[in-house]
């Protein structure tokens, strides 16, 4: 994602925010009352590849919707959104300063960090719900979400390289 002018960044944030909304409206149901979607990955990619303005707009949209939905997981959901978007922005600047942060191992570590944050946010719910949620999702999240994040990041890196090559030509 080429960070262009402010209008481009705001529109990109709107796009990421809308993708997160669609994900939240069509979640994967693990069991009655326990749903998960890809918002953590979407927010992380918005921050990492779009930067702070893209991330702020996308997270604002997603967090407002999650808060509006309410329920026992509202605070945890908003914390996941704001935290993963923020981690994405921090990694965005780390990546700008050192290309090592775009390597496969570092992007895998990035995905692991994001989803450890997500797991940590589960403790914002009542203990009995936290226990049930973690018993259901802990290992699948830690095993599947970091590689999924890595794959999405690789797609965006490939797009960046393609755009850079196109501009060079």
């Amino acid at each position: 994602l080429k960070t262009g002018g402010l209008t481009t960044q705001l529109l990109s944030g709107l796009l990421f925010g809308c993708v997160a909304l669609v994900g939240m409206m069509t979640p994967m149901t693990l069991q009655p009352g326990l749903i998960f979607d890809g918002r953590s990955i979407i927010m992380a990619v918005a921050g990492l590849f779009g930067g702070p303005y893209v991330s702020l707009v996308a997270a604002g949209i997603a967090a407002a919707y999650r808060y509006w939905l309410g329920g026992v997981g509202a605070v945890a959901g908003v914390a996941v959104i704001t935290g993963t978007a923020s981690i994405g922005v921090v990694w965005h600047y780390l990546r700008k300063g050192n290309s090592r942060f775009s390597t496969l191992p570092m992007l895998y570590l990035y995905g692991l960090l994001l989803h450890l944050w997500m797991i940590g946010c589960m403790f914002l719910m009542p203990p009995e719900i936290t226990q049930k949620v973690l018993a259901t999702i802990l290992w699948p999240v830690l095993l599947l979400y970091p590689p999924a994040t890595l794959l999405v990041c690789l797609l965006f890196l490939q797009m960046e390289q393609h755009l850079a090559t196109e501009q060079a030509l």
Side-chain angles (χ1 to χ4, degrees):
L1 181 67
K2 178 82 172 140
T3 52
L6 184 59
T7 302
T8 301
Q9 291 180 50
L10 295 176
L11 289 173
S12 295
L14 181 63
L15 177 64
F16 276 105
C18 288
V19 170
L21 285 179
V22 169
M24 286 188 280
M25 289 176 187
T26 57
M28 180 174 55
T29 302
L30 301 175
Q31 56 182 258
L34 184 57
I35 59 169
F36 277 88
D37 51 52
R39 83 184 95 150
S40 59
I41 296 172
I42 296 163
M43 293 299 111
V45 170
L48 179 61
F49 291 97
Y53 294 120
V54 173
S55 182
L56 183 64
V57 171
I61 292 167
Y65 178 71
R66 182 59 192 96
Y67 184 77
W68 176 79
L69 285 175
V72 71
V75 172
V78 170
V80 168
I81 291 164
T82 57
T84 54
S86 298
I87 293 167
V89 171
V90 168
W91 211 271
H92 171 82
Y93 286 111
L94 290 172
R95 208 176 134 235
K96 280 181 127 179
N98 187 338
S99 62
R100 168 178 71 133
F101 286 94
S102 293
T103 63
L104 290 177
M106 293 301 279
L107 289 173
Y108 182 83
L109 178 64
Y110 174 64
L112 185 60
L113 175 65
L114 293 164
H115 295 96
L116 285 171
W117 170 263
M118 183 178 96
I119 294 297
C121 290
M122 299 302 114
F123 288 95
L124 295 171
M125 296 186 292
E128 63 279 357
I129 294 174
T130 298
Q131 186 177 22
K132 182 178 179 181
V133 169
L134 290 180
T136 305
I137 67 148
L138 179 64
W139 291 112
V141 164
L142 292 178
L143 294 173
L144 299 174
Y145 276 48
T149 303
L150 172 65
L151 290 173
V152 172
C153 287
L154 289 175
L155 289 171
F156 274 84
L157 281 173
Q158 186 177 26
M159 285 185 348
E160 276 185 347
Q161 291 168 350
H162 179 79
L163 289 172
T165 302
E166 214 175 71
Q167 287 178 342
L169 291 174

